[in-house]
Amino acid sequence: MAAGDLINRRSAVPFYSQLKDLILADIQSRGLEPGDRLPGDFELCQQYDVSRTVVRQAMGELEHEGVIRRERGRGTFLADTHAPGVFGHALIGYFEDIQSGSGTHHTVVRRKGLVPASAAVAKDLAVKAGEMVVEVERVRSMDGAPWALTLTQLPLSVGEGLLTADVDDLSLFGVLEQRFGVVDLIVASLPSTLGPR
């Protein structure tokens, strides 16, 4: 790897966000096509010297944004660019910012608290429908302009510490792992849009 392909451990940008940039740049530089296989979590941990939690956060967000698809028992693949919502600004715009060397990334908590789990979320989190879960809504911005809204829900037993923790510009998974010793996470990432609820 070149020096520019390493995680900058002195940067204020969270490791998972840096890893996302590196993975996207790698996809571009290698000229990968939809359906091409991507490195697995273990390989990414070794390649970039980051924890499994960092890799899970980065890959989870890339999957949520439609850049990759993960198939149980088969691996991770570049998503179909012709599928609705795939790539778009999530990949192409990101590449432009990476290649230009510009862009200051920030993630700010918009809201966090307890909400009852919907039937779908309850299934994902292995809890009962209506059970209270931790919800964290965050806005991602680049150069001061918001470009994504992420909504994450976790079981109360796992995410309770986030209710009082400062997680602006930090990886939720990283905070849970480093401050609260949580390693194996079950998380529901919900689609959302920018704008008032």
Side-chain angles (χ1 to χ4, degrees):
M1 291 184 295
D5 294 333
L6 299 174
I7 297 292
N8 180 355
R9 299 181 187 277
R10 295 183 178 181
S11 171
V13 178
F15 287 180
Y16 77 88
S17 184
Q18 293 187 53
L19 182 58
K20 280 179 64 179
D21 290 351
L22 292 169
I23 292 170
L24 290 170
D26 185 54
I27 291 170
Q28 171 85 343
S29 66
R30 291 167 58 194
L32 297 182
E33 301 281 340
D36 284 348
R37 191 185 189 97
L38 298 175
D41 289 4
F42 179 73
E43 186 177 348
L44 290 171
C45 287
Q46 289 192 316
Q47 182 176 353
Y48 295 104
D49 190 24
V50 292
S51 71
R52 187 180 175 195
T53 298
V54 170
V55 171
R56 280 182 173 181
Q57 172 81 351
M59 298 299 277
E61 293 196 3
L62 288 173
E63 182 178 28
H64 182 64
E65 292 165 8
V67 176
I68 64 172
R69 59 183 170 83
R70 309 182 91 176
E71 299 182 14
R72 188 180 297 274
R74 293 196 62 222
T76 303
F77 304 88
L78 194 58
D80 182 358
T81 57
H82 299 295
V86 171
F87 283 90
H89 70 277
L91 185 56
I92 297 172
Y94 226 33
F95 280 143
E96 290 173 351
D97 292 317
I98 293 169
Q99 291 171 340
S100 69
S102 64
T104 300
H105 303 264
H106 287 294
T107 304
V108 178
V109 173
R110 176 170 165 171
R111 183 181 54 81
K112 58 183 175 179
L114 298 177
V115 297
S118 66
V121 168
K123 182 178 179 181
D124 287 343
L125 299 184
V127 300
K128 294 180 180 178
E131 184 174 326
M132 300 306 285
V133 296
V134 174
E135 181 175 85
V136 181
E137 183 178 86
R138 304 200 298 171
V139 175
R140 292 181 174 281
S141 63
M142 180 179 293
D143 293 332
W147 65 272
L149 180 65
T150 61
L151 191 62
T152 303
Q153 293 185 347
L154 307 96
L156 183 59
S157 61
V158 171
E160 187 172 11
L162 295 177
L163 295 174
T164 55
D166 179 3
V167 291
D168 285 349
D169 287 325
L170 296 174
S171 162
L172 295 182
F173 295 153
V175 170
L176 287 169
E177 180 181 37
Q178 295 166 16
R179 298 187 193 174
F180 304 105
V182 177
V183 178
D184 291 318
L185 297 177
I186 303 174
V187 177
S189 292
L190 310 175
S192 191
T193 57
L194 286 171
R197 291 177 65 83

